[in-house]
Amino acid sequence: MTYEENLLALLESYKAGTIDAKTALEKLHAADYTDLGFAKLDHNRSLRQGFPEVVYCEGKTVEQVAAIMEKLAQVHNNILGTRADADKFAAVQKVLPDAVYHKNSRLIFVERKPLPKDDKRYIAVVTAGTSDLPISEEAALTAEIMGNQVERVYDVGVAGIHRLFDKLDLIRNANVVIVVAGMEGALASVVGGLVERPVIAVPTSVGYGANFQGLSALLGMLNSCSAGVAVVNIDNGFGAGRMASIINHMR
């Protein structure tokens, strides 16, 4: 039984008079989160924010990741783990055979009931170079599991700007645009000056020494002269995908 189904069942039981108000409140409170000792899983987040708690796998042991995702999957149809390696996925797959691993983006998916997608509104993920693809795919796949159509426009960086112009109609017709770039991060400013949609810029740690592991791209994007460009943290494809999803679902 999912978290939402459990809440509905409790409300129906109270309505039918099979449990009293005090018992209903106690059960509602108990259903809100699970305490595993090393983690407190926030089940109510799916109601508050429209998607269950996402597991950041880096820094956790394989046992912790497996236990967290197993419990989340007991009460939610769709769950997501980010920054996962092959060992952590192997541990998750033992307890969740339907889990899927996207090696390039380092994401673990369980998607039992895909969220509906509006085929008239989509998110464009625009990438400067092939080296940026792991972060681009983290953004794109995050947006997709959260119920969005995604169009990918990859390897259109400023070193060959004509490649971007060939895809400009596709980018301009998007509801939200995510731009992923390393090096100096110039692509975000270029795209921002060409579209009337919100642009979410993602600096990546791709680049030589003076890139400072993405700091030069971050500062370049933060100093963009194009209006309508917002910036997430270095290599934070998940954050960009989540923000784009929220914007795309607004009516």
Side-chain angles (χ1 to χ4, degrees):
M1 183 180 291
T2 67
Y3 173 71
E4 289 80 3
E5 289 169 344
N6 189 26
L7 292 188
L8 288 172
L10 284 172
L11 292 172
E12 288 296 333
S13 296
Y14 174 66
K15 182 179 178 180
T18 56
I19 59 173
D20 59 23
K22 181 180 178 181
T23 303
L25 284 173
E26 289 173 351
K27 287 181 176 294
L28 286 169
H29 179 69
D32 277 348
Y33 75 93
T34 297
D35 191 346
L36 296 179
F38 56 84
K40 293 178 175 62
L41 310 185
D42 179 14
H43 301 307
N44 186 261
R45 196 172 305 186
S46 61
L47 286 182
R48 300 195 317 270
Q49 296 190 316
F51 195 84
E53 180 176 1
V54 174
V55 184
Y56 180 73
C57 299
E58 206 164 64
K60 296 179 176 67
T61 67
V62 294
E63 295 83 7
Q64 288 170 341
V65 171
I68 290 169
M69 296 201 74
E70 180 182 24
K71 184 59 183 180
L72 286 173
Q74 290 174 4
V75 292
H76 301 286
N77 287 314
N78 306 317
I79 61 171
L80 175 63
T82 69
R83 298 301 171 93
D85 57 27
D87 289 339
K88 286 170 182 169
F89 171 64
V92 170
Q93 196 174 37
K94 287 180 181 178
V95 295
L96 296 173
D98 56 342
V100 176
Y101 184 50
H102 295 267
K103 182 178 180 180
N104 197 29
S105 61
R106 299 165 64 192
L107 294 177
I108 300 174
F109 273 28
V110 174
E111 192 174 20
R112 295 169 180 159
K113 190 176 181 181
L115 297 174
K117 299 175 182 178
D118 185 344
D119 59 6
K120 295 180 181 178
R121 299 161 68 97
Y122 63 87
I123 297 166
V125 179
V126 183
T127 302
T130 304
S131 297
D132 300 307
L133 285 183
I135 307 305
S136 302
E137 278 299 291
E138 184 181 53
L141 290 166
T142 294
E144 285 177 335
I145 196 175
M146 292 184 177
N148 302 275
Q149 290 281 99
V150 175
E151 294 289 342
R152 293 162 169 81
V153 182
Y154 288 173
D155 196 23
V156 293
V158 297
I161 202 69
H162 55 291
R163 301 171 299 174
L164 175 70
F165 295 153
D166 280 345
K167 299 293 184 179
L168 202 50
D169 285 345
L170 179 65
I171 298 168
R172 281 177 168 162
N173 287 322
N175 200 43
V176 193
V177 183
I178 298 172
V179 178
V180 184
M183 300 292 186
E184 82 289 6
L187 185 62
S189 288
V190 174
V191 173
L194 293 171
V195 303
E196 61 177 355
R197 307 301 189 196
V199 173
I200 303 170
V202 188
T204 70
S205 52
V206 171
Y208 290 101
N211 172 262
F212 297 111
Q213 292 79 51
L215 183 59
S216 65
L218 172 65
L219 293 176
M221 290 171 171
L222 286 171
N223 285 287
S224 173
C225 63
S226 297
V229 177
V231 188
V232 297
N233 209 345
I234 298 168
D235 290 338
N236 190 8
F238 164 75
R242 174 61 175 153
M243 178 58 70
S245 176
I246 292 170
I247 295 170
N248 196 44
H249 281 100
M250 294 176 69
R251 294 293 186 273

